[in-house]
Structure formats: C-alpha cells, structure tokens
Amino acid sequence: MFRLGQRVVFVNDSFELHFPVGESGYIIAYDRNADNVFDYVVRVPRLNKHFFVPAVDIELEEILLQQEAEQVEREALIDYALVTKNEELFRFIMNGEMAEPTPEISNEVQSREDFIKQINLKAWI
C-alpha cells in the first residue's frame, strides 16, 4: 500500500480510462469504498488533473528507476562479456548459473551397468 504524498508513475491503463501512461503524479487520497475498484486518487500536476486509479496501474518511481538501473547494468555486462569473449560470464548473466565444467575424456572402459546408470541420470536431469 502506498503512502500519501508518494510519487508514482502510471504504468498501465487497465480500464482504458485514458490515464497518462508514463506520467508521474502524487497520491493524494485513498478510496476506501469497498464497492469501488479504484484504490487511490492520484494528482498529476503537469496535467492539472486528479485520477481515480486501481493499484495495478501505478508503481513507485523509485522501483521503476531501480529496475531500469538493473537492466542497464545487465546489458553493460552482456556487452562486456561479448567483447572480451568471456563465455562463462555470458552464460552466468543469461542463465543465472555457472557454466558446467566439460567432462574429461578417459580411456578406461566403463561397465555396461555404469553406462546405463550414467545415461539414465542424464535423462532424468
């Protein structure tokens, strides 16, 4: 629940009420009517208007700025990994996991049971 006076940004227009998507405003009141779908009254000073808004259509400005900063950081790391040809870093950024070590090839012969067990384990994963 947002506090009064917090700066919010319109991120959606669920009910197609011509909200100024992308504009920022301030929460000036709660709509406490249980029969109403709208949760807040938001004032947009740039348009000099008040809007009754559901909670899903607005987001705090700080959270949007933080998400944008994380996205820029991720893109910069991807660019760095591509330029330096660092496959491990690239896979970590894209998948969120470290690259699997390559299995070493050994010359010893496996028994039939060990081979089937290894294949079943890989198929299960």
Side-chain angles (χ1 to χ4, degrees):
M1 183 166 201
F2 302 126
R3 295 186 326 257
L4 292 177
Q6 279 188 310
R7 187 175 183 143
V8 294
V9 176
F10 288 91
V11 293
N12 199 4
D13 190 2
S14 302
F15 299 119
E16 297 179 7
L17 297 172
H18 306 291
F19 291 149
V21 177
E23 288 287 327
S24 61
Y26 299 93
I27 295 178
I28 61 171
Y30 301 115
D31 193 357
R32 300 204 185 268
N33 187 357
D35 296 333
N36 199 345
V37 71
F38 302 111
D39 299 314
Y40 302 102
V41 179
V42 177
R43 166 123 175 102
V44 180
R46 184 172 172 191
L47 301 175
N48 198 23
K49 287 187 176 181
H50 296 75
F51 294 98
F52 287 93
V53 182
V56 296
D57 286 350
I58 57 175
E59 189 65 60
L60 286 177
E61 187 179 43
E62 296 95 28
I63 292 175
L64 292 175
L65 290 174
Q66 180 182 14
Q67 290 172 350
E68 185 67 26
E70 289 171 358
Q71 181 67 24
V72 168
E73 178 185 7
R74 185 173 186 266
E75 290 173 0
L77 284 173
I78 289 172
D79 290 342
Y80 176 76
L82 290 173
V83 168
T84 59
K85 297 181 176 140
N86 188 343
E87 183 179 349
E88 185 177 330
L89 176 63
F90 182 77
R91 290 194 187 279
F92 178 73
I93 294 167
M94 296 305 288
N95 300 332
E97 58 189 39
M98 297 302 287
E100 295 180 13
T102 56
E104 295 179 15
I105 299 173
S106 62
N107 292 335
E108 63 185 61
V109 178
Q110 282 184 324
S111 69
R112 183 173 187 266
E113 291 81 23
D114 289 340
F115 178 73
I116 291 173
K117 192 183 296 183
Q118 183 180 7
I119 295 299
N120 287 337
L121 179 64
K122 288 184 179 180
W124 183 75
I125 292 175

